[in-house]
């Protein structure tokens, strides 16, 4: 595997889930990262991603450097051919090339602006690092995807499912701020690669990118969608169609005990941070049905499996070589 910036970089999902679960059991490893450095750049806040990825790297024996690039770094120019006479001090060409001297893997978080859909879809920050870095790049949540969270979610469903083909419902929930579609996008993409019955439910106007949804059913009646669910993934996102907008804050979509009672005693997931009593009620979050802490713990093993794969040289024959 050359980079991990999208789920499509991961050829064999089942193999990497097994690897992550083996690493979890093992709780330490043979230090394939000894003498190697992970550099993490954050253009937005983070708690789990930052600490679980740092922990994962250290479990592999890596050194870690972290920078709040938005606050501490030079303002970066991404445009090719720009005449840099305003506030941007450094071009991504130099920044990525220099970081590639110091780091063996570069990991980047850069949220979307949620104003200009076409611009966000270019995922300029992540893709520019990919273009100009000479070492692997890991997406720590870009403008349209969060593949490390998705791998975590796939691991969690694999581990906690007690039936062959569980019903997994992704439900929209209200939120006071406009949030990205990255987490639900990647969750849908990863679940489409698993043996689950996936259903998405959201109010009208909140349908995700049709290129992500593909043939997954979208039901606008939440109560109907929740019937017989074994897993419910709760998440807010802003509108894709009316890009970046909050169309409503309908609290009848808050995931509470009443909603839980419609399911098959579902296990409740969320990527965190979660707004209590807006997105999910206290009663549900504090109940045994909530697996959000278990899920957050799996962030470490997802990151560990990905970093380990990126550290291992590509095999000429196996399914691991990447030509794109
Ligand atoms: C981010 C999101 O993409 O939804 C990160 C989730 C892993 N979430 C937020 O920005 C929540 C912020 C808030 O104000 O609740």
């Amino acid at each position: 595997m050359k980079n991990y910036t999208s789920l499509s970089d991961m050829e064999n999902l089942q193999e990497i889930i097994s690897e992550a679960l083996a690493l979890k059991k093992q709780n330490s490893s043979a230090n394939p990262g000894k003498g190697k450095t992970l550099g993490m750049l954050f253009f937005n806040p983070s708690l789990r991603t930052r600490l679980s990825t740092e922990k994962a790297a250290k479990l592999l024996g890596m050194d870690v450097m972290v920078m709040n690039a938005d606050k501490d770094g030079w303002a970066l120019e991404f445009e090719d051919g720009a005449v840099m006479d305003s506030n941007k001090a450094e071009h991504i060409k130099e920044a990525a090339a220099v970081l590639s001297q110091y780091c063996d893997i570069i990991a980047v978080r850069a949220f979307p602006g949620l104003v200009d859909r076409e611009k966000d879809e270019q995922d300029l920050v992540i893709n520019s690092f990919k273009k100009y870095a000479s070492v692997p790049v890991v997406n720590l949540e870009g403008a349209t995807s969060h593949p490390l969270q998705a791998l975590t979610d796939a691991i969690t469903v694999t581990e906690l499912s007690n039936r062959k083909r569980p019903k997994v419902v992704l439900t929209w929930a209200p939120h006071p701020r406009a949030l990205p579609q990255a987490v639900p996008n990647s969750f849908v993409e990863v679940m489409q690669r698993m043996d689950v019955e996936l259903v998405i439910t959201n109010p009208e106007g909140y349908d995700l990118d049709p290129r992500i949804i593909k043939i997954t059913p979208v039901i606008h009646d939440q109560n109907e969608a929740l019937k017989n669910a074994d897993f419910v993934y709760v998440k807010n996102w802003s509108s894709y169609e009316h890009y970046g907008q909050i169309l409503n804050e309908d609290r009848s979509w808050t995931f509470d005990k009443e909603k839980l009672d419609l399911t098959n005693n579902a296990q409740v997931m969320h990527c965190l941070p979660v707004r209590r009593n807006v997105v999910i009620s206290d009663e549900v979050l504090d109940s045994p049905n909530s697996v959000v802490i278990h899920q957050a713990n799996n962030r470490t093993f997802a990151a560990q499996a990905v970093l380990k794969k990126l550290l291992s040289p590509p095999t000429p024959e196996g399914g691991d070589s990447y030509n794109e």
Side-chain angles (χ1 to χ4, degrees), residues 34-261:
K34 200 165 186 300
K36 306 278 184 184
T37 300
L38 169 70
M40 287 198 278
L41 294 186
F42 286 89
F43 291 88
N44 306 95
S46 173
L47 184 131
R48 275 149 295 276
T49 298
R50 176 169 172 165
L51 298 181
S52 64
T53 309
E54 175 161 351
K55 182 171 173 182
K58 287 179 172 167
L59 285 169
L60 293 168
M62 297 184 86
D63 287 317
V64 181
M65 301 193 292
V66 188
M67 194 165 161
N68 293 321
D70 56 332
K71 299 183 189 77
D72 305 332
W74 300 110
L76 292 181
E77 176 63 66
F78 290 91
E79 204 184 306
D80 226 3
V83 177
M84 291 172 58
D85 59 359
S86 64
N87 61 333
K88 309 234 173 100
E90 176 150 37
H91 200 279
I92 180 67
K93 287 186 182 180
E94 279 78 39
V98 169
L99 280 167
S100 302
Q101 309 297 306
Y102 307 153
C103 306
D104 299 280
I105 298 177
I106 299 172
V108 182
R109 163 164 286 190
F111 288 174
L114 290 176
V115 176
D116 180 340
R117 187 162 86 182
E118 269 172 38
K119 184 160 177 264
D120 286 348
E121 286 181 342
Q122 290 171 14
D123 217 339
L124 192 63
V125 181
I126 305 263
N127 283 322
S128 302
F129 273 99
K130 219 165 121 176
K131 185 167 172 191
Y132 295 115
S134 54
V135 299
V137 174
V138 175
N139 176 346
L140 299 174
E141 188 173 348
T144 62
S145 67
H146 194 352
L148 275 176
Q149 181 65 52
L151 177 57
T152 302
D153 301 336
I155 293 166
T156 307
V157 168
T158 301
E159 236 185 339
L160 299 180
S161 177
N162 39 35
R163 60 176 63 210
K164 202 177 164 292
R165 191 164 182 272
K167 178 172 175 184
V168 177
V169 179
L170 167 66
T171 181
W172 182 91
H175 198 286
R177 293 179 53 214
L179 298 188
Q181 296 95 23
V183 170
N185 281 348
S186 292
F187 182 72
V188 168
E189 286 186 314
V190 85
M191 286 300 130
Q192 286 168 342
R193 290 172 65 170
M194 291 186 53
D195 190 15
V196 303
E197 181 196 344
L198 177 64
V199 170
I200 308 171
T201 181
N202 54 256
E204 303 268 358
Y206 280 100
D207 287 6
L208 294 164
D209 181 350
R211 291 166 300 179
I212 299 275
I213 298 172
K214 298 197 177 90
I215 59 162
T216 299
V218 179
I219 300 177
H220 293 129
D221 178 341
Q222 190 192 31
N223 292 351
E224 178 62 33
L226 289 171
K227 274 186 200 154
N228 295 317
D230 299 299
F231 290 90
V232 178
Y233 200 98
V234 190
K235 182 71 186 90
N236 168 267
W237 59 89
S238 59
S239 175
Y240 177 78
E241 191 188 332
H242 306 279
Y243 191 66
Q245 290 181 35
I246 300 177
L247 307 176
N248 69 56
E249 289 184 57
D250 187 355
R251 295 286 171 93
S252 73
W253 280 76
T254 299
F255 195 81
D256 58 13
K257 181 73 170 56
E258 225 173 281
K259 302 283 174 184
L260 181 64
D261 287 342

Side-chain angles (χ1 to χ4, degrees), residues 32-33 36 60 62 104-105 306-313:
K36 306 278 184 184
L60 293 168
M62 297 184 86
D104 299 280
I105 298 177
V306 166
L307 293 175
K308 191 176 166 196
K309 219 163 174 52
L310 293 174
L311 285 169
S312 59

